Amino acid sequence: VVTLQAAAAEAITTFVSSPAGPVLVTAARNGMLRSWHTGTGACLRQWRGHSRLPLVVADMDASGTLVATGGADRMVTVW
């Protein structure tokens, strides 16, 4: 069990694990996306999602390089 370090105060609404490596991407109610190293719990990257509305769904391609998110703003974005 690994605890995510520097976990945000905002509730996580969805997450997806990379099929290609030790990475987990979380999305929060405030629209922030974060990628985490599942071995260490360290935050690798964070970026703002669609808007300040919650992100409600996420998925990752087989190579682990693209993340698709859908939000309460009814937008789908591929990162």
Side-chain angles (χ1 to χ4, degrees):
V1 174
V2 174
T3 301
L4 301 179
Q5 307 194 16
E10 281 288 327
I12 292 174
T13 55
T14 189
F15 65 91
V16 61
S17 180
S18 172
V23 175
L24 178 79
V25 175
T26 60
R29 288 183 54 91
N30 64 357
M32 289 299 295
L33 289 155
R34 289 181 176 85
S35 63
W36 306 89
H37 189 282
T38 57
T40 65
C43 182
L44 303 172
R45 179 180 173 201
Q46 64 181 18
W47 63 103
R48 168 94 28 223
H50 310 218
S51 64
R52 295 198 181 269
L53 294 173
L55 295 168
V56 294
V57 65
D59 203 359
M60 193 175 292
D61 75 318
S63 70
T65 57
L66 299 174
V67 176
T69 58
D73 58 2
R74 301 186 310 183
M75 298 290 293
V76 174
T77 303
V78 178
W79 308 90

